Amino acid sequence: MFCQGRTETIRPASEQSAAWVYAMDNATVSKEQKISLLRKAIAAQTQYKLEATNGEGCDRHLLGLFCASQDLSMPVPEIFLDKAWQMPDHMSTSQTPTRITDSWKLETSVGGGGFGPTWDVGYGVAYIIHGEDLINFHITSKVSCTKTDSVVMGKYIHQALADMRDMFD
């Protein structure tokens, strides 16, 4: 399965990122504490990214285990029967590569790509970082779902980015 190489999922959720997110929504937490928590979340994410880059991530190994069980007509391994594996993925995110070739120019390129949500009650959020001053988001949700709204999600993302900017002012 991996003889031609592989990709890896780099998940942003961690105890450190959760602590920072909760602090951002708590008016009693100082800016200094929020910045400290953000730095800890970044350090944890960077470590996880390095581990995934070195083939030490778990997602693709687990995918391989699941696919092998299916290909070999074996029972599904018990780990995949756990409640946690049955939970919906309400938000799927991915970064679009910033630059693929040397001829890439912001003025002549599309501002990113996108994908649909992985669950009916969910969002697909693709983003591309263009230098220091511009981030484009492509937010999708199912029109048939009354519980999701891409425009509203965009407003929440915008507010979160403004809160982060204000944190450093």
Side-chain angles (χ1 to χ4, degrees), residues 34-72:
K34 291 175 182 179
I35 291 170
S36 175
L37 289 168
L38 173 60
R39 289 192 171 126
K40 289 176 184 175
I42 290 169
Q45 177 69 8
T46 300
Q47 181 62 37
Y48 188 84
K49 179 182 72 171
L50 292 172
E51 291 168 2
T53 301
N54 289 325
E56 298 169 6
C58 66
D59 281 87
R60 294 306 185 245
H61 290 291
L62 290 170
L63 174 63
L65 176 64
F66 179 80
C67 291
S69 74
Q70 297 299 290
D71 288 348
L72 298 171

Side-chain angles (χ1 to χ4, degrees), residues 12-165:
S14 66
E15 290 179 21
Q16 295 84 356
S17 65
W20 173 66
V21 168
Y22 288 121
M24 287 299 291
D25 206 28
N26 184 340
T28 66
V29 178
S30 72
K31 285 184 180 184
E32 293 77 19
Q33 290 171 303
K34 291 175 182 179
I35 291 170
S36 175
L37 289 168
L38 173 60
R39 289 192 171 126
K40 289 176 184 175
I42 290 169
Q45 177 69 8
T46 300
Q47 181 62 37
Y48 188 84
K49 179 182 72 171
L50 292 172
E51 291 168 2
T53 301
N54 289 325
E56 298 169 6
C58 66
D59 281 87
R60 294 306 185 245
H61 290 291
L62 290 170
L63 174 63
L65 176 64
F66 179 80
C67 291
S69 74
Q70 297 299 290
D71 288 348
L72 298 171
S73 300
M74 296 173 63
V76 174
E78 285 189 38
I79 190 171
F80 299 108
L81 302 176
D82 187 274
K83 177 183 169 185
W85 288 97
Q86 308 304 318
M87 295 173 66
D89 184 6
H90 290 289
M91 183 175 301
S92 183
T93 64
S94 187
Q95 180 180 356
T96 304
T98 305
R99 183 174 164 165
I100 297 174
T101 68
D102 287 335
S103 63
W104 189 94
K105 291 182 177 55
L106 177 60
E107 301 79 25
T108 59
S109 298
V110 176
F115 48 88
T118 57
W119 194 257
D120 286 345
V121 183
Y123 293 94
V125 181
Y127 60 96
I128 183 169
I129 301 170
H130 299 284
E132 296 292 320
D133 300 320
L134 179 63
I135 304 173
N136 283 358
F137 289 88
H138 183 115
I139 304 164
T140 61
S141 59
K142 294 200 174 187
V143 177
S144 60
C145 181
T146 60
K147 295 181 179 181
T148 58
D149 185 320
S150 296
V151 173
V152 172
M153 176 58 80
K155 289 177 183 178
Y156 283 126
I157 292 171
H158 185 268
Q159 183 60 54
L161 291 169
D163 291 348
M164 288 177 67
R165 179 198 61 222

